[in-house]
Amino acid sequence: MNQDTLNTLIQTATQVRTHAHAPYSHFPVGAAVLDEHGNIHHGCNVENAAYPSGSCAEEQAIGSMVASGGRKIKAIVVTGISDRPITPCGACRQRIREFADSDTQIYICHVEEGVQKVFSIDGLLPYSFGPDNLKGI
Ligand code: THU
């Protein structure tokens, strides 16, 4: 992925973050996914008064990718404002895992400071359970 595409992903995640529905945590997050077709999909966190019914930005972005026909995450950007990098929650690591490969780049960004960390899925979720684990059953 070139720098222009990364910049577009960051801008997309930053923009969609402004639409986050986060009245409970006051912690808006934006995410943007680049798929195997070169298409970009976005998502923001959508909280709910019944707290467990809320969803993460990555969850929305990945759902949008799948609904559009994408099946591979080439890169994903997650952005917000926090002293600590906003690393995906456990469930979202598994969601990324479903559509990632060893080359998938996971960029954790700060809205004002840019890229803070870059991970692979193996770095975030070692010894993960994935589609191959279901082969041969
Ligand atoms: N959140 C995300 O959307 N993505 C992350 O990677 C971390 C956390 C959301 C969930 C919840 O709405 C709020 O941030 C606080 O946890």
Side-chain angles (χ1 to χ4, degrees), residues 68-84:
S68 301
R71 286 295 183 273
K72 278 286 166 205
I73 300 175
K74 306 305 286 182
I76 179 168
V77 163
V78 181
T79 194
I81 296 176
S82 175
D83 289 345
R84 295 181 185 210

PDB file of all heavy atoms in Angstrom, residues 68-84:
ATOM      1  N   SER A  68     -20.289  -5.278   0.993  1.00  0.00           N
ATOM      2  CA  SER A  68     -19.931  -4.761  -0.342  1.00  0.00           C
ATOM      3  C   SER A  68     -19.225  -5.806  -1.193  1.00  0.00           C
ATOM      4  O   SER A  68     -18.835  -5.514  -2.326  1.00  0.00           O
ATOM      5  CB  SER A  68     -19.021  -3.537  -0.198  1.00  0.00           C
ATOM      6  OG  SER A  68     -19.645  -2.533   0.542  1.00  0.00           O
ATOM      7  N   GLY A  69     -19.008  -6.994  -0.649  1.00  0.00           N
ATOM      8  CA  GLY A  69     -18.375  -8.061  -1.421  1.00  0.00           C
ATOM      9  C   GLY A  69     -16.899  -8.253  -1.148  1.00  0.00           C
ATOM     10  O   GLY A  69     -16.272  -9.125  -1.744  1.00  0.00           O
ATOM     11  N   GLY A  70     -16.317  -7.456  -0.273  1.00  0.00           N
ATOM     12  CA  GLY A  70     -14.902  -7.631   0.070  1.00  0.00           C
ATOM     13  C   GLY A  70     -14.723  -8.824   0.998  1.00  0.00           C
ATOM     14  O   GLY A  70     -15.585  -9.119   1.831  1.00  0.00           O
ATOM     15  N   ARG A  71     -13.603  -9.517   0.845  1.00  0.00           N
ATOM     16  CA  ARG A  71     -13.337 -10.690   1.690  1.00  0.00           C
ATOM     17  C   ARG A  71     -11.923 -10.729   2.241  1.00  0.00           C
ATOM     18  O   ARG A  71     -11.553 -11.649   2.973  1.00  0.00           O
ATOM     19  CB  ARG A  71     -13.591 -11.989   0.904  1.00  0.00           C
ATOM     20  CG  ARG A  71     -15.063 -12.296   0.678  1.00  0.00           C
ATOM     21  CD  ARG A  71     -15.783 -12.571   1.993  1.00  0.00           C
ATOM     22  NE  ARG A  71     -17.184 -12.929   1.790  1.00  0.00           N
ATOM     23  CZ  ARG A  71     -18.179 -12.046   1.688  1.00  0.00           C
ATOM     24  NH1 ARG A  71     -17.930 -10.749   1.769  1.00  0.00           N
ATOM     25  NH2 ARG A  71     -19.420 -12.460   1.513  1.00  0.00           N
ATOM     26  N   LYS A  72     -11.116  -9.715   1.894  1.00  0.00           N
ATOM     27  CA  LYS A  72      -9.745  -9.658   2.415  1.00  0.00           C
ATOM     28  C   LYS A  72      -9.473  -8.267   2.966  1.00  0.00           C
ATOM     29  O   LYS A  72      -9.738  -7.269   2.287  1.00  0.00           O
ATOM     30  CB  LYS A  72      -8.726  -9.945   1.307  1.00  0.00           C
ATOM     31  CG  LYS A  72      -8.509 -11.414   1.039  1.00  0.00           C
ATOM     32  CD  LYS A  72      -7.685 -12.049   2.151  1.00  0.00           C
ATOM     33  CE  LYS A  72      -7.734 -13.564   2.090  1.00  0.00           C
ATOM     34  NZ  LYS A  72      -7.474 -14.199   3.384  1.00  0.00           N
ATOM     35  N   ILE A  73      -8.954  -8.210   4.182  1.00  0.00           N
ATOM     36  CA  ILE A  73      -8.496  -6.930   4.720  1.00  0.00           C
ATOM     37  C   ILE A  73      -7.019  -6.786   4.349  1.00  0.00           C
ATOM     38  O   ILE A  73      -6.183  -7.548   4.831  1.00  0.00           O
ATOM     39  CB  ILE A  73      -8.666  -6.860   6.245  1.00  0.00           C
ATOM     40  CG1 ILE A  73     -10.142  -7.021   6.633  1.00  0.00           C
ATOM     41  CG2 ILE A  73      -8.103  -5.541   6.782  1.00  0.00           C
ATOM     42  CD1 ILE A  73     -10.381  -7.074   8.151  1.00  0.00           C
ATOM     43  N   LYS A  74      -6.736  -5.819   3.466  1.00  0.00           N
ATOM     44  CA  LYS A  74      -5.335  -5.551   3.124  1.00  0.00           C
ATOM     45  C   LYS A  74      -4.713  -4.639   4.179  1.00  0.00           C
ATOM     46  O   LYS A  74      -3.544  -4.787   4.534  1.00  0.00           O
ATOM     47  CB  LYS A  74      -5.217  -4.892   1.741  1.00  0.00           C
ATOM     48  CG  LYS A  74      -5.905  -5.654   0.626  1.00  0.00           C
ATOM     49  CD  LYS A  74      -5.440  -7.093   0.525  1.00  0.00           C
ATOM     50  CE  LYS A  74      -4.052  -7.228  -0.061  1.00  0.00           C
ATOM     51  NZ  LYS A  74      -3.665  -8.666  -0.179  1.00  0.00           N
ATOM     52  N   ALA A  75      -5.508  -3.688   4.653  1.00  0.00           N
ATOM     53  CA  ALA A  75      -5.051  -2.776   5.708  1.00  0.00           C
ATOM     54  C   ALA A  75      -6.269  -2.253   6.453  1.00  0.00           C
ATOM     55  O   ALA A  75      -7.362  -2.157   5.890  1.00  0.00           O
ATOM     56  CB  ALA A  75      -4.265  -1.604   5.103  1.00  0.00           C
ATOM     57  N   ILE A  76      -6.058  -1.939   7.722  1.00  0.00           N
ATOM     58  CA  ILE A  76      -7.125  -1.328   8.527  1.00  0.00           C
ATOM     59  C   ILE A  76      -6.509  -0.242   9.383  1.00  0.00           C
ATOM     60  O   ILE A  76      -5.407  -0.422   9.926  1.00  0.00           O
ATOM     61  CB  ILE A  76      -7.895  -2.382   9.376  1.00  0.00           C
ATOM     62  CG1 ILE A  76      -8.994  -1.714  10.225  1.00  0.00           C
ATOM     63  CG2 ILE A  76      -6.973  -3.244  10.202  1.00  0.00           C
ATOM     64  CD1 ILE A  76      -9.980  -2.717  10.854  1.00  0.00           C
ATOM     65  N   VAL A  77      -7.208   0.887   9.450  1.00  0.00           N
ATOM     66  CA  VAL A  77      -6.794   1.998  10.305  1.00  0.00           C
ATOM     67  C   VAL A  77      -7.841   2.159  11.403  1.00  0.00           C
ATOM     68  O   VAL A  77      -9.041   2.127  11.133  1.00  0.00           O
ATOM     69  CB  VAL A  77      -6.680   3.302   9.479  1.00  0.00           C
ATOM     70  CG1 VAL A  77      -6.661   4.523  10.381  1.00  0.00           C
ATOM     71  CG2 VAL A  77      -5.448   3.275   8.585  1.00  0.00           C
ATOM     72  N   VAL A  78      -7.376   2.318  12.617  1.00  0.00           N
ATOM     73  CA  VAL A  78      -8.246   2.625  13.758  1.00  0.00           C
ATOM     74  C   VAL A  78      -7.738   3.938  14.340  1.00  0.00           C
ATOM     75  O   VAL A  78      -6.524   4.086  14.574  1.00  0.00           O
ATOM     76  CB  VAL A  78      -8.181   1.525  14.837  1.00  0.00           C
ATOM     77  CG1 VAL A  78      -9.116   1.847  16.001  1.00  0.00           C
ATOM     78  CG2 VAL A  78      -8.518   0.166  14.238  1.00  0.00           C
ATOM     79  N   THR A  79      -8.656   4.888  14.547  1.00  0.00           N
ATOM     80  CA  THR A  79      -8.191   6.178  15.057  1.00  0.00           C
ATOM     81  C   THR A  79      -9.111   6.737  16.135  1.00  0.00           C
ATOM     82  O   THR A  79     -10.311   6.455  16.159  1.00  0.00           O
ATOM     83  CB  THR A  79      -8.014   7.197  13.909  1.00  0.00           C
ATOM     84  OG1 THR A  79      -7.257   8.318  14.376  1.00  0.00           O
ATOM     85  CG2 THR A  79      -9.351   7.696  13.373  1.00  0.00           C
ATOM     86  N   GLY A  80      -8.504   7.511  17.010  1.00  0.00           N
ATOM     87  CA  GLY A  80      -9.235   8.155  18.082  1.00  0.00           C
ATOM     88  C   GLY A  80      -8.297   9.098  18.814  1.00  0.00           C
ATOM     89  O   GLY A  80      -7.209   9.417  18.321  1.00  0.00           O
ATOM     90  N   ILE A  81      -8.719   9.502  19.991  1.00  0.00           N
ATOM     91  CA  ILE A  81      -7.881  10.389  20.805  1.00  0.00           C
ATOM     92  C   ILE A  81      -7.746   9.755  22.177  1.00  0.00           C
ATOM     93  O   ILE A  81      -8.737   9.615  22.912  1.00  0.00           O
ATOM     94  CB  ILE A  81      -8.496  11.795  20.913  1.00  0.00           C
ATOM     95  CG1 ILE A  81      -8.549  12.447  19.526  1.00  0.00           C
ATOM     96  CG2 ILE A  81      -7.688  12.653  21.878  1.00  0.00           C
ATOM     97  CD1 ILE A  81      -9.219  13.806  19.497  1.00  0.00           C
ATOM     98  N   SER A  82      -6.529   9.341  22.486  1.00  0.00           N
ATOM     99  CA  SER A  82      -6.269   8.668  23.752  1.00  0.00           C
ATOM    100  C   SER A  82      -4.771   8.732  24.034  1.00  0.00           C
ATOM    101  O   SER A  82      -3.962   8.755  23.104  1.00  0.00           O
ATOM    102  CB  SER A  82      -6.723   7.210  23.664  1.00  0.00           C
ATOM    103  OG  SER A  82      -6.380   6.510  24.830  1.00  0.00           O
ATOM    104  N   ASP A  83      -4.427   8.748  25.314  1.00  0.00           N
ATOM    105  CA  ASP A  83      -3.005   8.722  25.684  1.00  0.00           C
ATOM    106  C   ASP A  83      -2.360   7.419  25.240  1.00  0.00           C
ATOM    107  O   ASP A  83      -1.187   7.384  24.917  1.00  0.00           O
ATOM    108  CB  ASP A  83      -2.839   8.862  27.196  1.00  0.00           C
ATOM    109  CG  ASP A  83      -3.189  10.264  27.654  1.00  0.00           C
ATOM    110  OD1 ASP A  83      -3.271  11.155  26.781  1.00  0.00           O
ATOM    111  OD2 ASP A  83      -3.395  10.457  28.867  1.00  0.00           O
ATOM    112  N   ARG A  84      -3.138   6.350  25.271  1.00  0.00           N
ATOM    113  CA  ARG A  84      -2.621   5.034  24.869  1.00  0.00           C
ATOM    114  C   ARG A  84      -3.154   4.686  23.494  1.00  0.00           C
ATOM    115  O   ARG A  84      -4.302   5.000  23.182  1.00  0.00           O
ATOM    116  CB  ARG A  84      -3.094   3.963  25.848  1.00  0.00           C
ATOM    117  CG  ARG A  84      -2.552   4.146  27.220  1.00  0.00           C
ATOM    118  CD  ARG A  84      -3.064   3.038  28.101  1.00  0.00           C
ATOM    119  NE  ARG A  84      -2.638   3.248  29.476  1.00  0.00           N
ATOM    120  CZ  ARG A  84      -2.407   2.282  30.335  1.00  0.00           C
ATOM    121  NH1 ARG A  84      -2.582   1.026  29.974  1.00  0.00           N
ATOM    122  NH2 ARG A  84      -2.020   2.548  31.556  1.00  0.00           N
TER     123      ARG A  84
END
